[in-house]
Amino acid sequence: MKITASDQQLLTVLRENARASTAEIARRLKLSRTTVQSRIERLEREGVIGGYTVRVNDAAERSHIRAHIMITVLPKQMAAVVEALRAMPEVRALHSVSGPFDLMAMGVVPTAAEMDELTDRIGAIDGVERTTSSIILSAKFER
């Protein structure tokens, strides 16, 4: 999977708006529509583009509580813990990280009480040794 500079530009435009038309993308990148379409198809076929998703505007969830939940996992329990977290819709993202924690989850819920309950549920998963949470006050930018 070789990603060219042109592919990177295309991916940047798609990150901003994955629903942009091929014609709109072509105009922005000063390429032909067929070139843009063939590059998108190649990037999808090669697995560079793994799918498309919805990014909800902050205003729609302005009152929601967001937190990074750092998780320490007991040895040989990672796969089971990841699957348990995948089943929780409030966990929007999960990353394996270096340092004193093994995983970092992004939790999003409507109220502080629900965040408390979410962190309790995560802490109760077999294989989770401990959790530490940090409430997100604001997002300066996201891509």
Side-chain angles (χ1 to χ4, degrees):
M1 270 188 263
K2 181 163 173 41
I3 300 175
T4 66
S6 295
D7 293 338
Q8 285 292 357
Q9 289 176 326
L10 174 58
L11 292 170
T12 296
V13 171
L14 289 172
R15 280 187 189 102
E16 291 171 8
N17 181 7
R19 293 191 66 192
S21 69
T22 305
E24 181 183 335
I25 295 168
R27 276 192 302 277
R28 281 191 60 188
L29 299 178
K30 296 180 175 59
L31 297 170
S32 73
R33 285 183 7 195
T34 55
T35 298
V36 168
Q37 187 60 45
S38 66
R39 285 186 185 184
I40 290 172
E41 289 171 359
R42 179 180 55 81
L43 292 169
E44 289 172 341
R45 188 174 54 253
E46 292 177 356
V48 174
I49 296 175
Y52 300 87
T53 189
V54 172
R55 226 176 34 218
V56 177
N57 187 301
D58 285 342
E61 292 184 335
R62 186 170 308 272
S63 64
H64 282 52
I65 306 296
R66 296 172 187 264
H68 287 132
I69 304 164
M70 288 70 74
I71 304 163
T72 302
V73 179
L74 294 170
K76 300 182 183 181
Q77 298 294 314
M78 183 64 77
V81 169
V82 168
E83 286 310 305
L85 291 167
R86 185 185 313 274
M88 296 180 178
E90 306 91 344
V91 176
R92 298 283 178 89
L94 183 65
H95 302 279
S96 177
V97 295
S98 63
F101 299 98
D102 301 303
L103 298 170
M104 182 180 296
M106 166 67 81
V108 181
V109 294
T111 67
E114 288 172 273
M115 184 59 72
D116 187 38
E117 189 268 333
L118 175 61
T119 56
D120 286 348
R121 279 194 295 137
I122 291 172
I125 295 171
D126 284 338
V128 170
E129 184 175 22
R130 77 171 188 266
T131 64
T132 301
S133 302
S134 294
I135 301 293
I136 297 170
L137 301 175
S138 70
K140 300 303 182 189
F141 71 87
E142 292 184 31
R143 292 190 178 139

